[in-house]
């Protein structure tokens, strides 16, 4: 049996004495069949099609398609290609069509704000080649980048500013740094393809937002070789899960996305032949009542209203820091970059001020899986704190499909049109005179960006505070580090202090209820004493 399978099985078998035997055997069965059991049956070095030479990435793709004839058409239907949510899977109450479906290309965020008019920079993480403007042909099968996900050499990297292409010639990066990035050896990479690994997925998902750990908080380079303390599932010496163990992929369609969340998986354990498409959830392996032992009944009652991640990811960014605040209004004020004592950039001349944090406690919200995103062109409103909530979750304590979920809340200061109240789509990147990073002129950047997005611009730009939410689902801590009861069920510093639409024992109290309760206790005690006294007196009377 393959060595990668032995470790997880040994780990699971050691647990047999602690949990229900049937459940454990079922878990072994599920994990066994979800792990890569065999090495590839093909030596790609032997294929004539892959002996090159190749001038570009699309040339490699054309060679791949000679054998994998359906691969590109499958990728064309995936979120990795079109950056759009499938309207059939999107559960918001918003009216969603294929044309206005939310996705990376039309959602406003508070990192680099929008893909539009900055495509050539943002699409360095697109699963394709050449998306630099509206002219990109999404139907061209040769434009699919096979190597980004299937490279096993670790030497294939897309160049940050070349619209998804790697550099075919040696090039300096970062600009003016004197550091030369060598050209990618396309033949070598094409001859060494295989199943995706954590490094393939992490090349984009660990570095979203412009750097390591910037965006998500629970995804960064520390997950390349995590230990048990950082993630019990991805622990390199334990289960050593790849991303695909949970994010199962069939015909290039990958399960699980923060954009299409399953907040409450009612399908239970997902075994072969019983797939409900819910494998990217805790319940798909652990069931809805996973706790065993003395406190199992009470803990399992919690899973009805509390997501597993809420207790089992008490903090995120536990090794590397994550960015928690970004002030775009100060960009261009200085030419000097500033770093903290650990090397994290706290001021970037092109991007403004940052704040970073390690061991971040999530913030908690009711969530039923439905989300309203702010799209390009939408009018926004400020909340009672004067901030614009770019992501609005749906669900409350009375909603049977809602549970309490943990989130990273990103807080930023970003530009908005003071008249139309639309968030600005700024033209940040480019060599033209209107690009903000060339001349630091917000008015020019806003005018150019909004025109490219087909939106009006009044010429009156203001900076507003904004928030954006990311569900926390990775970096699952060992069971002994999960939240204990008191961290929520206490009057002071409760983790759930902001959730006020429910009664939480230990945290909440009602004076009239407390008074009534104590009165009942006193009346009961008085009744017992009176009854006892009556029995004593009556007994004494009989003796006389």
């Amino acid at each position: 049996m393959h060595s990668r399978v032995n470790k997880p099985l040994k780990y699971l078998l050691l647990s047999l004495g602690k949990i229900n035997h049937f459940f454990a055997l079922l878990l072994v069965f599920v994990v066994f069949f979800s792990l890569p059991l065999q090495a590839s049956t093909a030596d790609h070095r032997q294929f004539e099609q892959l002996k090159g030479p190749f001038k570009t990435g699309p040339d490699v793709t054309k060679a791949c398609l000679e054998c994998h004839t359906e691969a590109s058409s499958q990728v064309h239907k995936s979120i990795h290609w079109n950056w759009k949510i499938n309207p059939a899977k999107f559960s918001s109450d918003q009216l969603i069509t294929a044309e206005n479906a939310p996705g990376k290309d039309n959602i406003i965020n508070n990192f680099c704000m929008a893909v539009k008019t900055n495509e050539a920079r943002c699409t360095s993480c697109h699963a394709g080649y050449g998306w630099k403007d509206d002219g990109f042909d999404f139907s061209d099968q040769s434009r699919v980048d096979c190597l980004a996900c299937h490279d096993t050499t670790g030497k294939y990297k897309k160049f940050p500013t070349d619209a998804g292409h790697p550099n075919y010639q040696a090039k300096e990066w970062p600009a003016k740094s004197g550091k030369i990035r060598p050209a990618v050896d396309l033949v070598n990479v094409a001859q060494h393809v295989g199943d995706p690994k954590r490094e393939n997925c992490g090349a984009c998902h660990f570095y979203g937002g412009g750097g390591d750990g910037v965006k998500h908080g629970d995804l960064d380079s520390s997950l390349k070789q995590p230990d048990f303390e950082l993630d019990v599932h991805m622990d390199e010496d334990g289960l050593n899960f790849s991303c695909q163990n949970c994010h199962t992929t069939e015909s290039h369609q990958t399960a699980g996305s923060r954009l299409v969340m399953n907040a409450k998986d009612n399908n239970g354990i997902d075994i072969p032949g019983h797939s409900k498409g819910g494998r990217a959830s805790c319940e798909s392996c652990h069931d809805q009542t996973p706790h065993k032992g003395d406190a199992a009944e009470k803990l399992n009652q919690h899973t009805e209203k509390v997501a597993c991640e809420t207790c089992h990811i008490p903090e995120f960014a536990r090794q590397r820091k994550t960015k928690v605040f970004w002030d775009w209004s100060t960009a261009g004020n200085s030419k000097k970059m500033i770093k903290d004592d650990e090397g994290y950039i706290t001021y970037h001349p092109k991007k403004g001020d940052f704040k970073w944090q390690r061991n971040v406690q999530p913030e908690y919200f009711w969530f039923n899986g439905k989300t309203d995103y702010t799209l390009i062109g939408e009018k926004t409103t400020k909340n009672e704190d004067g901030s614009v909530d770019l992501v609005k979750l749906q669900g409350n304590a009375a909603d049977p499909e809602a549970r309490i979920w943990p989130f990273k809340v990103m807080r930023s200061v970003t530009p908005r049109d003071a008249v139309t109240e639309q968030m600005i789509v700024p033209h940040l990147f480019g060599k033209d005179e209107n690009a903000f990073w060339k001349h630091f002129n917000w008015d020019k950047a806003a005018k150019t960006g909004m025109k490219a997005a087909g939106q009006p611009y009044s010429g009156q730009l203001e900076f507003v505070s904004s928030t954006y939410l990311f569900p926390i689902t990775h970096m699952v801590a060992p069971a002994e580090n999960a939240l204990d009861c008191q961290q929520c069920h206490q009057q002071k510093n409760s983790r759930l202090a902001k959730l006020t639409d429910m009664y939480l024992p230990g945290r909440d109290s009602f004076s009239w209820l407390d008074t009534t309760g104590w009165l009942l206790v006193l009346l009961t005690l008085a009744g017992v004493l009176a009854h006892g006294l009556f029995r004593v007196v009556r007994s004494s009377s009989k003796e006389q």
Side-chain angles (χ1 to χ4, degrees):
M1 188 178 293
H2 195 282
S3 61
R4 289 193 65 191
V5 176
N6 285 332
K7 284 184 179 179
L9 284 179
K10 179 181 178 181
Y11 176 87
L12 288 170
L13 289 169
L14 287 173
S15 303
L16 286 176
K18 300 180 180 179
I19 56 179
N20 180 280
H21 285 191
F22 171 77
F23 173 76
L25 288 170
L26 189 56
L27 188 58
V28 169
F29 185 71
V30 171
V31 171
F32 181 87
F33 280 98
S34 63
L35 288 172
L37 299 179
Q38 300 177 353
S40 172
T41 55
D43 181 353
H44 287 81
R45 292 172 299 179
Q46 307 302 319
F47 288 81
E48 288 296 325
Q49 295 93 330
L50 300 181
K51 292 183 178 177
F54 301 115
K55 289 185 177 179
T56 67
D59 292 337
V60 178
T61 301
K62 291 174 184 175
C64 298
L65 291 172
E66 291 187 33
C67 294
H68 303 278
T69 57
E70 305 305 309
S72 280
S73 60
Q74 292 173 358
V75 172
H76 281 183
K77 299 174 184 176
S78 74
I79 196 170
H80 284 121
W81 175 257
N82 53 47
W83 282 7
K84 286 284 189 183
I85 293 171
N86 183 344
K89 294 183 178 180
F90 192 56
S91 57
S92 169
D93 289 338
Q94 292 175 321
L95 178 61
I96 298 299
T97 65
E99 288 71 30
N100 72 348
K104 286 177 67 68
D105 67 332
N106 62 352
I107 289 176
I108 294 284
N109 63 63
N110 61 3
F111 290 82
C112 288
M113 295 169 273
V115 172
K116 197 72 175 178
T117 195
N118 303 298
E119 287 91 343
R121 184 70 176 88
C122 301
T123 57
S124 60
C125 271
H126 181 235
Y129 298 111
W131 182 3
K132 60 181 180 181
D133 52 34
D134 289 340
F136 182 67
D137 184 359
F138 283 89
S139 65
D140 187 341
Q141 295 199 10
S142 71
R143 292 289 172 177
V144 171
D145 184 352
C146 307
L147 303 179
C149 299
H150 295 284
D151 166 47
T152 65
T153 68
K155 297 179 180 178
Y156 181 80
K157 296 180 180 179
K158 288 167 171 281
F159 197 76
T161 59
D162 280 356
H165 286 278
N167 52 303
Y168 305 119
Q169 304 292 330
K171 294 178 69 173
E172 183 184 45
W173 185 260
K176 301 179 181 178
S177 68
K179 300 177 180 177
I180 302 299
R181 180 179 288 206
V184 171
D185 184 343
L186 291 173
V187 173
N188 182 53
V189 176
Q191 291 181 344
H192 294 84
V193 292
D195 289 334
K197 301 182 184 303
R198 284 203 291 262
E199 289 78 3
N200 299 98
C201 305
C204 283
H205 292 284
F206 293 164
Y207 299 91
D212 194 356
V214 166
K215 184 175 281 187
H216 297 275
D218 62 343
L219 287 171
D220 61 41
S221 63
S222 66
L223 289 174
K224 288 182 179 178
Q225 296 177 305
D227 59 18
F228 188 71
E229 292 295 315
L230 181 59
D231 192 291
V232 298
H233 299 111
M234 301 173 78
D235 170 26
E236 197 175 28
D237 295 323
L239 290 172
N240 197 25
F241 274 17
S242 69
C243 304
Q244 287 72 35
N245 283 115
C246 294
H247 297 278
T248 51
T249 302
E250 183 175 354
S251 300
H252 289 92
Q253 310 305 307
T254 303
S257 167
R258 69 178 175 85
L259 298 177
V260 189
M261 289 286 290
N262 184 3
K264 191 175 186 181
D265 185 353
N266 295 314
N267 294 317
I269 291 177
D270 188 12
I271 60 176
H274 184 250
S275 177
K276 294 290 185 182
R279 285 200 60 84
S281 71
C282 302
E283 292 88 342
S284 63
C285 282
H286 296 281
D287 202 5
Q288 295 133 311
T289 55
H291 302 96
K292 311 297 176 187
D294 297 336
E297 182 177 359
K298 181 56 66 178
L299 290 174
N300 286 332
Q301 288 175 356
H302 279 67
T303 62
E304 176 68 17
K305 286 296 184 181
V306 181
C308 308
E309 293 87 344
T310 297
C311 296
H312 290 276
I313 311 178
E315 286 91 24
F316 56 90
R318 297 203 293 274
Q319 290 191 5
R320 289 193 56 82
K321 291 181 179 179
T322 187
K323 192 175 289 183
V324 295
F325 176 78
W326 188 331
D327 184 355
W328 274 99
S329 70
T330 60
N333 287 355
S334 170
K335 295 182 178 180
K336 183 179 180 181
M337 185 181 296
I338 302 173
K339 298 182 180 180
D340 66 13
D341 55 5
E342 295 184 71
Y344 291 90
I345 297 173
T346 56
Y347 179 79
H348 193 294
K350 288 185 175 181
K351 300 179 180 179
D353 285 288
F354 305 140
K355 291 181 181 177
W356 301 79
Q357 192 175 344
R358 182 182 284 114
N359 293 320
V360 185
Q361 282 192 10
E363 296 184 39
Y364 302 94
F365 302 95
W366 287 104
F367 182 41
N368 63 10
K370 299 179 180 179
T371 309
D372 291 336
Y373 294 96
T374 299
L375 305 182
I376 292 174
E378 285 188 4
K379 182 180 178 180
T380 60
T381 56
K382 298 178 181 177
N383 61 25
E384 59 185 13
D385 297 325
S387 180
V388 174
D389 297 322
L390 297 175
V391 176
K392 295 178 180 176
L393 307 175
Q394 297 183 27
N396 53 54
D399 186 340
E401 295 303 317
R403 296 198 293 178
I404 298 170
W405 271 82
F407 286 85
K408 171 185 174 179
V409 181
M410 179 66 185
R411 293 178 169 83
S412 297
V413 177
T414 47
R416 188 176 85 144
D417 190 315
V419 176
T420 67
E421 299 181 331
Q422 294 181 7
M423 301 306 293
I424 293 293
V425 177
H427 178 50
L428 298 173
F429 170 79
K431 298 180 179 179
D432 58 281
E433 64 174 9
N434 296 320
F436 180 74
W437 286 339
K438 279 293 181 185
H439 301 289
F440 302 106
N441 185 317
W442 277 113
D443 190 60
K444 284 186 176 180
K447 185 177 181 180
T448 304
M450 295 299 277
K451 182 179 180 181
Q455 299 299 323
Y457 173 56
S458 70
Q460 298 184 43
L461 182 147
E462 64 175 355
F463 282 95
V464 296
S465 297
S466 61
T467 63
Y468 196 91
L469 304 178
F470 291 91
I472 297 300
T473 56
H474 306 89
M475 298 186 180
V476 178
E480 59 269 24
N481 294 339
L483 294 184
D484 59 32
C485 306
Q486 192 175 1
Q487 289 176 276
C488 294
H489 296 276
Q490 60 183 345
Q491 288 188 333
K492 293 184 179 178
N493 301 320
S494 169
R495 290 258 187 159
L496 305 182
K498 293 182 180 178
L499 299 182
T500 57
D501 61 343
M502 62 176 182
Y503 176 80
L504 185 64
R507 183 198 68 173
D508 301 324
S509 63
F510 297 104
S511 57
W512 63 267
L513 184 61
D514 292 341
T515 302
T516 302
W518 280 113
L519 284 174
L520 290 174
V521 170
L522 292 174
L523 288 172
T524 301
L525 180 61
V528 170
L529 292 174
H531 180 71
L533 181 61
F534 172 76
R535 294 288 297 268
V536 170
V537 172
R538 186 176 181 186
S539 175
S540 298
S541 298
K542 286 182 178 179
E543 290 177 356
Q544 292 175 357

